[in-house]
Amino acid sequence: MTEREKMLAGKLYDPGDPELCAERAAAKEQTFRFNRLSPSDREGQRALLRELFGKTGDFLHVEAPFQCDYGRYISVGENFYANHNCVILDAGGVEIGDNVLLAPNVSIYTSGHPLDTERRNAGLEYGLRVRIGNNVWVGGDVSILPGVTIGDNAVIGAGSVVTKDIPAGVLAAGNPCRVIREITEEDKTRFS
């Protein structure tokens, strides 16, 4: 297996592999250009994001600054919005559904390092896919860790650290993030 194949399969891999280094360098150049575009150049921003991401819907908007590792392993659905300071480390792949809102300072991490010092010191890491369903709102300053799935129609409260899967249709928050309650019909008439 190549190092990229290992990375995408969730196995330990060497991120110093020349092919992976070149992919990350290309993504850094694209995000550099994206982050320097005028805020009024929405079409230019969308064009760069469509080049950078593996898949997008027709409408997407990402506020600068934005950072990612590869970009090509990020898939977003229709009507995607990410506010300022979004960071997506996409080595393991990130799948985001339709109508997803990311508040400021959301970080999605698919990369991790072994707990074993010998393998960690050898520079090895792993990537585990993150999946975010449709109609999800992720609050400000949320960190989503490797391997997590967030179900459709979920809301993640600000400041949460999402370490485990979150089911569909719930409000979840905290560190570690846990389900607070189901989202109900009553929520159609209130703000919090």
Side-chain angles (χ1 to χ4, degrees):
M1 292 181 92
T2 67
E3 295 303 309
R4 183 194 308 150
E5 289 169 337
K6 291 177 192 175
M7 177 180 81
L8 295 173
K11 298 178 183 286
L12 285 176
Y13 70 96
D14 178 6
D17 173 72
E19 182 181 21
L20 294 178
C21 288
E23 285 184 29
R24 284 193 310 276
K28 299 300 179 211
E29 288 296 325
Q30 286 179 294
T31 57
F32 179 85
R33 289 195 318 271
F34 171 83
N35 288 325
R36 273 137 192 88
L37 284 175
S38 169
S40 63
D41 188 3
R42 300 277 195 213
E43 285 309 312
Q45 291 173 336
R46 286 187 189 115
L48 271 174
L49 291 171
R50 285 188 183 105
E51 287 177 24
L52 180 63
F53 290 179
K55 176 187 167 285
T56 71
D58 289 331
F59 178 80
L60 72 154
H61 186 76
V62 175
E63 301 285 356
F66 169 76
Q67 300 296 330
C68 65
D69 275 344
Y70 298 93
R72 68 190 291 185
Y73 307 117
I74 300 170
S75 169
V76 299
E78 189 60 50
N79 198 30
F80 172 72
Y81 177 80
N83 213 319
H84 300 285
N85 300 313
C86 181
V87 174
I88 301 177
L89 304 185
D90 59 310
V94 175
E95 296 174 12
I96 299 174
D98 296 336
N99 304 308
V100 172
L101 302 173
L102 304 181
N105 302 310
V106 168
S107 298
I108 301 171
Y109 305 125
T110 67
S111 299
H113 303 277
L115 296 178
D116 170 64
T117 57
E118 186 175 317
R119 292 183 297 165
R120 188 173 61 245
N121 290 344
L124 299 177
E125 63 183 49
Y126 60 87
L128 300 176
R129 184 169 302 278
V130 168
R131 292 176 176 88
I132 299 173
N134 297 318
N135 309 308
V136 172
W137 173 26
V138 179
D141 294 304
V142 168
S143 295
I144 300 170
L145 300 189
V148 164
T149 295
I150 298 173
D152 292 347
N153 307 309
V155 175
I156 308 299
S160 296
V161 178
V162 187
T163 61
K164 295 183 179 169
D165 292 353
I166 302 297
V170 299
L171 168 64
N175 182 3
C177 189
R178 62 181 177 74
V179 174
I180 305 296
R181 65 177 177 83
E182 286 188 18
I183 296 172
T184 67
E185 286 296 313
E186 282 183 23
D187 290 305
K188 291 182 179 181
T189 61
R190 61 179 162 174
F191 293 111
S192 59

